[in-house]
Amino acid sequence: MAQAGQQPSEVVHAEPQGMEEEARLLTSLQEIPNFSKCWLRSAHADALSLTVQYSQRNLPGNSQRKYAQTMHVPKGFSGDHKVTPSFPLELKDVQMLSLSPSGKRTLIVRGASEGNSCSLEVWMGNRVTKELFVPKKQHGGVYNDGWFGNGAAWSPDESRLAYVAEAPAASQTPSWGGLVKSSGEGDDKDMAAPKTWTGQGEWQEDWGELNVGKRPPSLFVLDLKRWSLKPVRGLPPDSSVGQPEWTPDGLSLVCTVWFHKAHNFPTMPQRLGIVYCMNRPCSLYSVRIPFTCKNNTPSDLNPQAKCLTEALLSAASPKFAPGGDKLIFLSHDAAASSGVHHATAALKCLNWSKEGAQTAVETVVEVVDSLTSDDAFPGLYLGALPESPFLDSNTLIVTSQWRSSTAILAISLDSGNVQRISQHDTDRASWAFAATCQGAVVAVTSSARQPPNLQILTQAASNNPVWVPLAFEGSWPFDKAVEQALPNMQHDILKVKATNAPNLPVEAVFITHKDVASPRPTILMPHGGPHSCYPTSYFSGYTFLVSLGYNLVLVNLRGSTGFGENSIQSLPGNIATNDVLDCMACLQAAIETGMVDKDKVGVMGGSHGGFLTGNLVGQYPSCFQCGVLRNPVMDLGLMIHCSDIPDWCYIEAFGSKEGLRRMQVKPTLEDLKRWREVSPIGHADKVTAPLFFMLGGKDQRVPQRDAKQYLAAFKARQNAPETRVIVFPEDTHALDKPQTEFEQFLNAAWWFKRFLT
């Protein structure tokens, strides 16, 4: 009983309430595993051996559970029966798994232990042949991020392997306290003394988002004959190194070098963020590995790396063709020269002999400026080449964005001819290349109603290639709620004419319930980047929202990848105008299908998609009943001072030419005025929609202060609409930790339930 003068205590219920059934459905959807990597190799005369690495969200542990299975697939497999996989093997504490090309050896890198940065296990057959513990003084953590490092590079004879790890600390941090005068009676280190502590040492720049606190990536070579581990010497100073590839003779490495000062942005002296940034200049270098040589010369003992691509602003992801006579690589010169963070790539080639690169760089696939038809090849859109991408000595296999889908392409190295070998006329699915061996290709495919599954093409070089599904014996069925939800998904691609540029393509992926009998509440979803794209692939969050009764309109606006370089370059200098108009045009196209209740429309986006969400609810307040913003860009005038990509603010707001001219560390008043013109904060007083913000506490790309400043301005209004904010303290820009992803979509569903139904 409450005492006199006290109010009875009340139970405060955490939001969101009444979402238990939705939470169960979302849990089941997010537990569906994905295929993260595949290796295909010859098992014997009649079969191929396929090893698959999976990832599955571990919601209670807030981590990704990794495991692997191996199975034999008959050559000429027709899909008439299921294949039998091995027992799954969980890859706990495994930072990297790398199979040698022959399949006879495996490298497993495990996480740090006391005093060591990692352990290296080399397996042959069914046993470990050697385990090495790498002290932190030799190198730091291993890079296996898919950019600086992607597995290990095995020498042609598989006696050596190269991998990427953090450089060792340049100097030891000082220790303080416990400083006592020597007694002069021998070693005093075991004597009683005050407690010591380690000082901080000097701050070092890093590569920003996802790389905070990491030292520069460097190359290390493990010699499996001598069991020695050494750093690669002779590479340029003040640079980061990755993507190693052995030369055909096994005596040198070709690698990618990124200089810490971006020379295409000379007025920006700081090291800029690199994740999702194809505009960072880089070059290919070759360097000799001296301790692998039988007769070392003085120059071998002090090797000096040689630049192979001096004429290019961007050269990365080197791969030697099987014959060893061609070095294939990607160039993102279109991004590096214009300043946009992602643009159309070109495929390049250097002819190679025993003496090394012999000719000037040749172009295999050019940058495509514009599309001649709806089915025309739109250009290459990929960050790096696959680990083992060659179908044969003349054919490269890659995954690339193709308008609103991803496709598998076969590229002839001789002619540059590009052939789309994945299916594109059934279910409008997206395809991704996984592995190839002896003329067979394995792919991962998915769509709005189909979670990721494997398909195999056993005769990729034939004139009429036929893909067949790879079904596994003993596969566990989906949860009943998932089984009921998936068949009801359907999607279409809406082709939309841009309001002020009808010749540039705009598309929207329109995801609905197949049995829609009347107009439904709808969520408009612009993507981030802005130079990225929504593919027609499966995503659990979309299935979840459609299952709850919403249509989704995923906008691929002008500036999206997959539609030609002219489309990409049309957006910089026109953000908050062209992209906003494209969003409204896509919404109108969806309304015209008769399936959208135009009085019940919400908008949801992250990063630049959050920027558009803020602009849409501000510029068109009567069209949107609520908004959800994930790590949004709300004020470029603030972002310029705290983001790891200040160059983005100049290029996107002013355009390429003017942005490069104006770019500097200290903005002018004119710069600040332009940023206010395009920023959502300039429209904060007109917003009538309730807004939900989801922010990452460790976001370096768009730090949370940006959104919080907008919120302060928003709440300064009288009778401001309702707002809600969740900060995920350990998350970065992507907000992709399993629990974070779960809470985002559950809270978004609760928000839409309140304001759209």
Side-chain angles (χ1 to χ4, degrees):
M1 187 176 193
Q3 297 180 1
Q6 290 183 329
Q7 295 294 324
S9 61
E10 296 183 1
V11 177
V12 179
H13 294 282
E15 301 288 4
Q17 294 186 57
M19 300 292 289
E20 292 79 10
E21 184 176 343
E22 291 91 336
R24 284 192 289 271
L25 172 61
L26 184 56
T27 299
S28 297
L29 287 168
Q30 293 207 326
E31 288 177 346
I32 296 174
N34 196 6
F35 303 97
S36 55
K37 202 166 187 178
C38 293
W39 295 268
L40 189 66
R41 59 191 187 276
S42 178
H44 49 74
D46 299 322
L48 298 170
S49 176
L50 174 64
T51 299
V52 180
Q53 181 177 320
Y54 302 83
S55 62
Q56 181 185 16
R57 296 177 185 88
N58 176 8
L59 282 171
N62 199 23
S63 62
Q64 291 285 347
R65 179 176 284 113
K66 297 181 293 183
Y67 57 98
Q69 287 182 302
T70 297
M71 61 216 72
H72 282 183
V73 181
K75 293 181 180 178
F77 181 69
S78 61
D80 57 345
H81 66 277
K82 295 182 178 181
V83 297
T84 303
S86 64
F87 290 111
L89 173 65
E90 185 171 5
L91 304 174
K92 196 170 184 179
D93 299 325
V94 173
Q95 295 182 344
M96 184 169 72
L97 173 66
S98 179
L99 277 64
S100 70
S102 70
K104 296 178 180 179
R105 296 172 176 83
T106 303
L107 171 69
I108 296 178
V109 180
R110 299 191 185 273
S113 57
E114 186 176 353
N116 300 305
S117 62
C118 65
S119 66
L120 309 176
E121 298 175 7
V122 179
W123 291 69
M124 288 187 65
N126 60 357
R127 70 184 186 93
V128 177
T129 57
K130 186 73 74 172
E131 181 179 17
L132 301 178
F133 292 87
V134 182
K136 294 179 180 179
K137 290 183 179 181
Q138 191 162 14
H139 69 57
V142 170
Y143 279 93
N144 192 35
D145 56 359
W147 181 240
F148 289 124
N150 184 20
W154 295 81
S155 64
D157 64 358
E158 299 185 359
S159 66
R160 299 167 299 279
L161 54 87
Y163 63 90
V164 186
E166 289 182 70
S171 59
Q172 289 189 333
T173 53
S175 294
W176 306 108
L179 301 177
V180 296
K181 186 176 180 180
S182 174
S183 64
E185 299 180 359
D187 193 351
D188 292 327
K189 67 179 182 179
D190 296 325
M191 302 294 289
K195 187 176 180 179
T196 63
W197 73 92
T198 301
Q200 293 301 313
E202 184 182 6
W203 172 77
Q204 300 290 329
E205 282 192 309
D206 53 42
W207 283 109
E209 177 73 11
L210 297 186
N211 291 290
V212 173
K214 292 184 178 180
R215 295 187 293 277
S218 303
L219 292 186
F220 296 84
V221 173
L222 176 63
D223 189 320
L224 302 184
K225 293 180 178 178
R226 299 170 177 82
W227 294 110
S228 61
L229 177 66
K230 293 185 179 181
V232 175
R233 308 286 188 190
L235 291 160
D238 198 26
S239 67
S240 293
V241 187
Q243 302 177 346
E245 177 85 353
W246 288 94
T247 56
D249 61 10
L251 299 180
S252 299
L253 284 171
V254 174
C255 56
T256 306
V257 173
W258 296 263
F259 288 95
H260 292 165
K261 179 175 170 55
H263 54 267
N264 55 343
F265 301 145
T267 56
M268 288 284 178
Q270 71 270 45
R271 198 189 313 180
L272 301 171
I274 200 168
V275 173
Y276 319 123
C277 302
M278 304 303 163
N279 60 345
R280 303 298 177 234
C282 51
S283 300
L284 297 187
Y285 278 74
S286 64
V287 60
R288 200 163 177 83
I289 308 302
F291 68 92
T292 65
C293 304
K294 295 180 180 179
N295 300 305
N296 287 325
T297 66
S299 61
D300 291 330
L301 298 175
N302 295 284
Q304 292 299 312
K306 176 184 177 182
C307 183
L308 305 176
T309 56
E310 291 180 347
L312 298 174
L313 265 177
S314 169
S317 196
K319 299 290 177 184
F320 279 99
D325 59 337
K326 293 179 179 179
L327 177 64
I328 308 300
F329 62 95
L330 289 174
S331 174
H332 289 98
D333 263 32
S337 60
S338 66
V340 301
H341 279 220
H342 197 179
T344 315
L347 187 68
K348 302 284 187 177
C349 172
L350 276 169
N351 290 322
W352 199 270
S353 71
K354 292 182 179 180
E355 288 73 34
Q358 294 299 297
T359 62
V361 173
E362 298 176 1
T363 300
V364 179
V365 179
E366 298 271 8
V367 168
V368 174
D369 289 325
S370 58
L371 309 188
T372 56
S373 68
D374 287 352
D375 296 327
F377 169 58
L380 292 176
Y381 302 92
L382 64 162
L385 295 176
E387 189 172 354
S388 300
F390 294 100
L391 179 67
D392 54 45
S393 61
N394 186 52
T395 308
L396 181 77
I397 307 292
V398 299
T399 304
S400 182
Q401 191 75 37
W402 190 304
R403 299 180 76 105
S404 295
S405 299
T406 56
I408 302 176
L409 310 179
I411 302 173
S412 168
L413 302 182
D414 286 341
S415 67
N417 179 62
V418 179
Q419 180 187 1
R420 188 177 185 176
I421 63 171
S422 53
Q423 295 176 356
H424 54 279
D425 55 354
T426 57
D427 201 29
R428 297 180 181 269
S430 280
W431 291 69
F433 168 67
T436 182
C437 180
Q438 295 185 356
V441 177
V442 174
V444 180
T445 181
S446 71
S447 67
R449 63 180 181 181
Q450 175 61 60
N453 66 98
L454 291 182
Q455 303 257 352
I456 188 167
L457 181 63
T458 55
Q459 295 181 355
S462 67
N463 294 327
N464 187 27
V466 178
W467 291 92
V468 295
L470 269 174
F472 302 158
E473 289 282 1
S475 296
W476 193 256
F478 295 137
D479 182 87
K480 183 177 180 181
V482 175
E483 293 281 8
Q484 293 175 343
L486 289 174
N488 292 321
M489 301 294 112
Q490 69 175 19
H491 73 273
D492 195 9
I493 296 176
L494 305 179
K495 297 186 183 299
V496 180
K497 284 191 175 181
T499 303
N500 54 354
N503 293 327
L504 290 177
V506 176
E507 292 183 351
V509 181
F510 188 37
I511 309 178
T512 62
H513 193 285
K514 72 174 186 178
D515 296 325
V516 174
S518 59
R520 304 207 314 173
T522 298
I523 304 165
L524 185 71
M525 302 181 75
H527 60 64
H531 308 295
S532 62
C533 192
Y534 275 128
T536 56
S537 53
Y538 173 81
F539 180 61
S540 60
Y542 303 157
T543 303
F544 174 64
L545 291 173
V546 174
S547 297
L548 300 183
Y550 305 100
N551 300 319
L552 303 183
V553 182
L554 313 183
V555 180
N556 286 327
L557 42 85
R558 279 170 289 173
S560 300
T561 55
F563 294 86
E565 187 63 15
N566 288 347
S567 175
I568 288 175
Q569 297 297 340
S570 72
L571 183 57
N574 295 297
I575 59 170
T577 301
N578 286 1
D579 44 7
V580 169
L581 289 173
D582 291 350
C583 287
M584 295 306 296
C586 288
L587 177 58
Q588 182 59 35
I591 291 172
E592 290 174 359
T593 66
M595 302 169 69
V596 173
D597 184 342
K598 65 180 181 179
D599 296 321
K600 295 181 179 180
V601 178
V603 57
M604 177 179 180
S607 192
H608 188 83
F611 168 87
L612 286 172
T613 298
N615 268 299
L616 286 162
V617 297
Q619 294 185 39
Y620 296 88
S622 63
C623 294
F624 300 96
Q625 282 63 60
C626 63
V628 176
L629 305 93
R630 303 167 56 255
N631 279 336
V633 177
M634 305 304 284
D635 185 355
L636 274 75
L638 177 58
M639 178 182 168
I640 185 72
H641 295 294
C642 56
S643 172
D644 68 335
I645 54 166
D647 55 300
W648 184 94
C649 300
Y650 278 102
I651 298 299
E652 296 301 336
F654 289 98
S656 176
K657 184 177 180 180
E658 182 66 9
L660 290 169
R661 186 186 72 81
R662 285 181 168 272
M663 193 178 296
Q664 58 180 314
V665 176
K666 296 183 292 184
T668 66
L669 291 176
E670 290 182 353
D671 297 340
L672 295 170
K673 180 181 178 181
R674 172 60 180 162
W675 290 328
R676 174 54 63 95
E677 289 174 353
V678 301
S679 293
I681 197 169
H683 302 284
D685 291 343
K686 297 182 289 183
V687 177
T688 59
L691 301 180
F692 198 145
F693 289 80
M694 302 175 183
L695 311 175
K698 294 185 177 180
D699 186 357
Q700 302 295 309
R701 189 71 18 120
V702 189
Q704 58 178 303
R705 183 61 192 161
D706 190 275
K708 289 180 177 178
Q709 182 67 26
Y710 176 93
L711 279 162
F714 195 73
K715 292 179 178 180
R717 296 169 45 190
Q718 287 188 349
N719 302 317
E722 181 180 348
T723 60
R724 181 172 170 83
V725 182
I726 295 180
V727 176
F728 299 97
E730 297 302 315
D731 271 81
T732 55
H733 189 59
L735 294 174
D736 57 359
K737 288 184 179 295
Q739 291 176 3
T740 301
E741 198 173 59
F742 175 89
E743 290 190 49
Q744 282 179 87
F745 278 91
L746 190 66
N747 276 280
W750 171 74
W751 199 249
F752 294 134
K753 186 177 182 179
R754 288 185 59 199
F755 297 107
L756 296 185
T757 59

